[in-house]
Amino acid sequence: MSSSDAKSITVIGSGLIGRSWAMVFVSGGYRVKIYDNQPGQSASAITEIRKQMEELEGAHMLRGHLNASQQLALLSSYDELAQALEGAFFIQECVFENLEVKQSLFQALEGLVGDDVILSSSTSCLVPSNVFSGVQRRSRCLVSHPVNPPYFVKLVELVPHPDTTAAVMDAAHDLMSQVGQVPVRLNREIDGFAVNRVQAAIIAESWRLVQDGVISVKDIDLVMSAGLGMRYAFIGPMETVHLNAPEGVEDYMRRYAGGLTRLLASFGPVPDFCGEASKKIVDELCELIPNDQQTLTARKERRDQLLMALSKLKDQH
């Protein structure tokens, strides 16, 4: 696909997630129009993207078949929404996580684009039936929830509105696959989708174990990073179960279902994440990783570098 005949996608919002989506889409050869309602912000976003792409190219980690200059040529910035929407077949919303703001935006979008344009939200916690409640033709609406940072963690949850058509879900799945993401389909909406529900279960039990004095903050992180996470980076919990007994999942459950049920019944109530009982965890974590901006920024950069290396390794397998 040459830049002259590339199809257009509009990204609304030029923050971290908006910039990441723009980089993902241009890596697949799509022309991307970035819009932000703060004048000059979308242009600044392209400056930041240019810097990131040049660094990625230098590290041989730039995604796609086009070089950085070719991908950057597919990007444009807009301060006027109507101009940014012209010619787009897919719109990815990336504004901040406020229900009323998203509802108003999608209601406005419907009056500015044709009926065949897909409207997609990046929301991480708002269900589609609420996000798109003001849209008349909700059959072309869905949530495409990325995992942060989307450029290196390729999973995208596709969550339908109750009215979303199968054709729209298929089109979104095809698009995400084409640009190198790994889309998963939810058959219906549910609070937290799949990623955040699984993540919440892990956080809650980890928090309880530390809070109850069973294990330290440092060591519970090692349980995941040096233990479970080693497997889960390549195979999921279902395949793990299937491979952990000589004759597969039914054999596993015959052997271990009783113990699994006993453990689950012993889990405590939802922890108090912000009360006095959590102070020990906060103090312990901040002693390990001080919460000043310089330290946190350095740790995030380290995280991204490790995710880049892991992404490259997964691509080879």
Side-chain angles (χ1 to χ4, degrees), residues 12-298:
I12 298 178
S14 64
L16 174 62
I17 298 301
R19 296 195 304 271
S20 296
W21 271 126
M23 291 171 65
V24 167
F25 290 138
V26 295
S27 76
Y30 287 93
R31 189 178 295 280
V32 175
K33 299 179 175 183
I34 304 176
Y35 165 78
D36 198 293
N37 64 358
Q38 299 298 313
Q41 284 297 106
S42 57
S44 296
I46 292 181
T47 300
E48 178 61 28
I49 289 171
R50 177 178 289 106
K51 177 185 173 187
Q52 284 184 266
M53 282 190 171
E54 289 171 351
E55 290 174 354
L56 288 165
E57 190 170 48
H60 306 289
M61 288 299 297
L62 186 70
R63 288 173 54 172
H65 298 297
L66 303 176
N67 63 35
S69 295
Q70 291 170 322
Q71 292 188 30
L72 288 164
L74 293 168
L75 282 171
S76 54
S77 62
Y78 295 84
D79 293 336
E80 294 295 331
L81 180 57
Q83 291 179 354
L85 297 171
E86 287 180 9
F89 76 97
F90 190 93
I91 298 169
Q92 186 69 38
E93 167 271 313
C94 310
V95 302
F96 58 94
E97 205 76 325
N98 178 284
L99 178 59
E100 290 73 24
V101 171
K102 291 181 186 287
Q103 287 173 331
S104 298
L105 174 60
F106 281 110
Q107 199 167 3
L109 287 175
E110 189 170 40
L112 295 170
V113 299
D115 288 345
D116 59 341
V117 176
I118 296 175
L119 304 180
S120 174
S121 174
S122 298
T123 181
S124 61
C125 63
L126 303 172
V127 293
S129 58
N130 289 336
V131 172
F132 302 111
S133 61
V135 177
Q136 295 299 310
R137 191 168 176 271
R138 295 184 285 269
S139 59
R140 40 81 171 269
C141 299
L142 79 157
V143 165
S144 302
H145 170 227
V147 179
N148 190 37
Y151 198 82
F152 307 122
V153 183
K154 297 177 181 180
L155 186 84
V156 182
E157 294 182 286
L158 303 181
V159 188
H161 184 280
D163 296 338
T164 306
T165 65
V168 166
M169 290 292 286
D170 288 344
H173 192 280
D174 289 347
L175 171 62
M176 296 302 170
S177 298
Q178 186 181 346
V179 297
Q181 298 302 93
V182 180
V184 295
R185 303 174 195 245
L186 273 66
N187 296 320
R188 60 181 177 86
E189 65 178 25
I190 186 171
D191 189 18
F193 313 146
V195 167
N196 282 328
R197 291 180 76 89
V198 172
Q199 180 172 250
I202 293 169
I203 291 171
E205 183 56 17
S206 299
W207 201 273
R208 276 191 294 261
L209 288 169
V210 176
Q211 204 166 64
D212 292 348
V214 175
I215 195 169
S216 68
V217 166
K218 179 180 179 180
D219 284 353
I220 194 62
D221 272 0
L222 286 171
V223 166
M224 182 60 70
S225 64
L228 294 175
M230 296 289 286
R231 289 191 300 219
Y232 290 167
F234 294 92
I235 63 173
M238 296 302 191
E239 186 177 352
T240 295
V241 166
H242 198 43
L243 300 182
N244 273 3
E247 297 177 19
V249 63
E250 288 184 305
D251 186 19
Y252 183 95
M253 289 308 171
R254 280 194 298 269
R255 294 166 182 260
Y256 304 118
L260 191 59
T261 301
R262 186 190 72 251
L263 279 179
L264 289 169
S266 74
F267 282 17
V270 175
D272 180 359
F273 295 111
C274 299
E276 186 62 31
S278 70
K279 188 174 185 306
K280 176 182 177 295
I281 297 176
V282 173
D283 291 345
E284 193 175 337
L285 186 53
C286 289
E287 185 176 344
L288 287 169
I289 306 170
N291 62 347
D292 61 275
Q293 284 305 305
Q294 183 177 355
T295 301
L296 292 177
T297 298

